[in-house]
Amino acid sequence: MKDFQTKDIRNLGLFAHAGAGKTTLSETMLFDAGIISRRGKVEEGNTVSDWQEEEIKRGISVNLSLLPFPWKGKKINLIDTPGYMDFLSNVLSATRVVDCGLISVCAVSGVEVGTERVWGYLAEGEVPVMFFLNKMDREGAKFDQVLESIRSALSPKVTPVCIPIGKESNFTGLVDLLSMKALYFGPEGKIAKEEEIPSDLQAMAQEFRENLIENIAETDDSLLDLYLEGQEISLEALKKALKEAINQRQIFPLLAGSALTNQGIDFLLDFIVEFAPSPLDRKPVVGTNPKTKEEEERLPQEEQPFSAWVFQIISDPYVGKMALLRVLSGKITTEDRVYNASRDQEEKVGQILFVRGKEQETADRLGPGDIGALTKISQVFIGDTLSAKDKPIVFPPITYPEPNYLAAIKPLGRGDEEKISQALSRILEEDPTLKVERNPDTKEDIVYGLGDIHLDVLVEKMKRKFGVE
């Protein structure tokens, strides 16, 4: 993948309650972007993001998955996160490295427990949020009712930027509330034609547009004066103010469609590249100089000292450790040595990779605001800050929940105690919500996790990766 300027990068996290269609949505985005020629299905175990055996077996996301792709001259670094809260560490890590969250909500089920939880985590991190009302083609889809449930449960500032034309099997298009045009889907789901809004939808479209303009105007004093005076606000001014309002978490736009039938996904991607913040739009990141103990800022600019935050570790018994990281300032190349400011250790950079699911592509550099991976670095862990050695900085770690679901763990094979110990230590590097302790009374190793699925997956990973049962 070619090198993109920081202003053209969109770091987007995909969050939802389990079953709201995140993985299908990410698969359809990759298909529309031309990355894949055929869309995989969760039930067939052939999607790009859910590629590990534990995910294929269960039909759920277990790990976050990095899925970069280009769209109309921009680069979207999409991070697909698990919906099951057993794998919460992935969700929390993702909230720290994205500039915008996209929450998928099922148009039939509406707001669920997982929806509220990811909304809370994104709010804690002050991350801008967009909503996608998925499965509009399903029987029982309810646009108005689900919108009201989102507003009452999460925020009254959730604001539709489009409304559906038809519903369930008659879902045929969208009304764009900014351009006030009807956009109709073609046979493959993508928008195929633009027409005037149907007469039976004009009153509804006008009502929703009025709500959109009012919400935008309330975030900008100059526009509010025009609005209160009854003057027309230009489309350009509306768009500029909307982008800023999204970045400041003053408006949470809602879009609609169906990931399964590819309806409305190209409209969603267009909206993301136009209105989601780039790394340049976000606040400077603040850390602590480990030498002076004073706070310092880093800007996403190439001339700034290098700094990056590690948000995921992938351990492989054959390849070694791979660290997923976001560059927060400066740049890193394959010629550099990397300084781990969190541990006061220095290592040579192995390879720099762009990762998409299980696919990897080598790169010469990683610039400010971008997300990628480093290989062959042994003493780097989740939450570590990498920086320039002469300009060190440490960014705050994430506080992960304490695991409270426990079980005794022991190898089935005789003499495998050392093997199981090594496997556990490697897997614990990948997941900070797992913990192992030795019970001095029972002489048992006790493993702690966030739920039964969490521990089941741990056991399966040990067998698959390290050959110990």
Side-chain angles (χ1 to χ4, degrees):
M1 183 174 283
K2 76 180 184 76
D3 201 17
F4 282 78
Q5 293 184 40
T6 306
K7 68 180 178 65
D8 295 326
I9 294 172
R10 304 290 182 269
N11 294 316
L12 185 76
L14 185 50
F15 306 92
H17 184 86
K22 283 186 292 69
T23 300
T24 302
L25 178 55
S26 65
E27 193 79 0
T28 303
M29 288 178 168
L30 293 175
F31 175 77
D32 285 355
I35 295 296
I36 54 177
S37 58
R38 178 180 174 273
R39 290 189 294 160
K41 296 180 179 178
V42 173
E43 55 270 23
E44 294 177 6
N46 58 356
T47 63
V48 177
S49 60
D50 289 355
W51 56 273
Q52 297 195 22
E53 286 182 24
E54 298 82 22
E55 297 175 311
I56 294 169
K57 174 184 172 182
R58 288 177 167 77
I60 63 171
S61 299
V62 166
N63 301 290
L64 65 78
S65 197
L66 182 55
L67 307 166
F69 62 90
W71 186 262
K72 297 191 174 178
K74 312 294 183 188
K75 179 186 183 183
I76 299 177
N77 282 320
L78 182 69
I79 300 181
D80 182 17
T81 64
Y84 280 87
M85 289 300 118
D86 284 39
F87 310 105
L88 183 59
S89 66
N90 292 264
V91 175
L92 295 175
S93 293
T95 63
R96 275 287 293 271
V97 293
V98 298
D99 298 310
C100 187
L102 178 64
I103 299 180
S104 178
V105 180
C106 174
V108 180
S109 307
V111 174
E112 299 174 89
V113 175
T115 321
E116 296 188 51
R117 291 187 74 174
V118 295
W119 166 261
Y121 298 135
L122 290 164
E124 285 173 24
E126 299 181 346
V127 181
V129 173
M130 299 177 176
F131 288 89
F132 181 68
L133 200 53
N134 196 13
K135 306 185 182 182
M136 282 299 303
D137 61 318
R138 293 284 181 89
E139 185 177 344
K142 307 174 289 287
F143 179 82
D144 289 353
Q145 293 95 316
V146 174
L147 169 61
E148 286 311 309
S149 75
I150 295 172
R151 282 174 164 171
S152 61
L154 307 181
S155 170
K157 290 299 182 183
V158 175
T159 308
V161 294
C162 64
I163 59 171
I165 300 173
K167 66 176 182 177
E168 300 177 342
S169 59
N170 294 317
F171 177 48
T172 56
L174 298 168
V175 174
D176 180 350
L177 296 174
L178 284 167
S179 68
M180 285 301 274
K181 293 290 184 181
L183 310 174
Y184 288 94
F185 307 131
E188 294 182 353
K190 295 181 182 180
I191 293 167
K193 58 181 179 177
E194 178 184 298
E195 294 184 1
E196 295 303 312
I197 300 170
S199 57
D200 62 332
L201 271 180
Q202 285 180 1
M204 179 182 176
Q206 195 58 49
E207 182 184 341
F208 274 101
R209 177 178 166 82
E210 190 69 21
N211 172 249
L212 174 61
I213 293 174
E214 182 180 345
N215 284 357
I216 294 173
E218 285 178 354
T219 69
D220 186 298
D221 289 342
S222 60
L223 296 189
L224 186 59
D225 290 340
L226 291 174
Y227 177 76
L228 293 174
E229 291 167 6
Q231 295 187 42
E232 187 75 21
I233 302 173
S234 71
L235 181 59
E236 183 183 359
L238 281 174
K239 286 185 172 183
K240 183 181 177 182
L242 176 58
K243 179 167 184 174
E244 181 61 22
I246 292 169
N247 186 38
Q248 297 298 327
R249 286 180 52 89
Q250 295 171 307
I251 288 178
F252 307 102
L254 180 137
L255 299 92
S258 170
L260 186 64
T261 55
N262 200 2
Q263 293 173 301
I265 308 307
D266 51 352
F267 183 83
L268 171 65
L269 289 170
D270 286 349
F271 191 88
I272 288 166
V273 296
E274 184 169 6
F275 293 102
S278 80
L280 296 177
D281 297 318
R282 305 288 289 136
K283 295 176 184 175
V285 287
V286 178
T288 303
N289 186 315
K291 293 179 179 177
T292 65
K293 307 301 179 187
E294 293 186 358
E295 283 193 347
E296 294 182 8
E297 286 185 349
R298 290 289 187 270
L299 298 167
Q301 298 170 353
E302 196 155 307
E303 57 272 17
Q304 286 262 306
F306 168 71
S307 68
W309 194 78
V310 177
F311 66 95
Q312 180 72 308
I313 294 290
I314 300 172
S315 292
D316 188 283
Y318 306 106
V319 179
K321 244 163 77 165
M322 181 165 68
L324 270 58
L325 72 163
R326 170 168 169 169
V327 177
L328 296 166
S329 62
K331 69 180 188 300
I332 187 170
T333 72
T334 50
E335 304 299 315
D336 295 334
R337 292 186 68 81
V338 62
Y339 176 65
N340 187 336
S342 300
R343 301 176 190 275
D344 190 23
Q345 292 180 322
E346 192 176 12
E347 293 186 71
K348 178 82 173 69
V349 173
Q351 285 184 309
I352 298 174
L353 301 174
F354 290 125
V355 179
R356 184 183 300 115
K358 64 180 175 182
E359 302 297 324
Q360 301 168 3
E361 179 184 334
T362 56
D364 296 326
R365 69 189 293 279
L366 203 57
D370 212 348
I371 293 175
L374 300 181
T375 64
K376 298 179 181 177
I377 43 174
S378 58
Q379 296 304 309
V380 172
F381 301 88
I382 291 175
D384 283 358
T385 301
L386 309 182
S387 75
K389 191 172 184 179
D390 59 338
K391 298 281 186 180
I393 192 169
V394 176
F395 300 115
I398 287 180
T399 302
Y400 293 99
E402 276 294 312
N404 52 20
Y405 188 93
L406 67 155
I409 188 166
K410 60 183 179 181
L412 290 181
R414 278 184 151 189
D416 275 353
E417 285 78 9
E418 182 64 25
K419 210 172 176 183
I420 201 173
S421 176
Q422 291 176 354
L424 278 170
S425 66
R426 294 291 294 276
I427 290 177
L428 262 60
E429 291 179 356
E430 300 182 353
D431 189 342
T433 55
L434 286 168
K435 185 170 75 172
V436 177
E437 288 181 354
R438 182 77 173 172
N439 187 310
D441 299 322
T442 64
K443 304 293 190 291
E444 290 178 314
D445 289 320
I446 307 297
V447 61
Y448 295 78
L450 297 180
D452 56 344
I453 300 177
H454 198 192
L455 296 192
D456 286 347
V457 167
L458 166 71
V459 171
E460 290 171 18
K461 275 188 178 180
M462 291 174 70
K463 180 181 177 183
R464 174 175 63 86
K465 285 189 169 186
F466 303 97
V468 57
E469 295 191 58

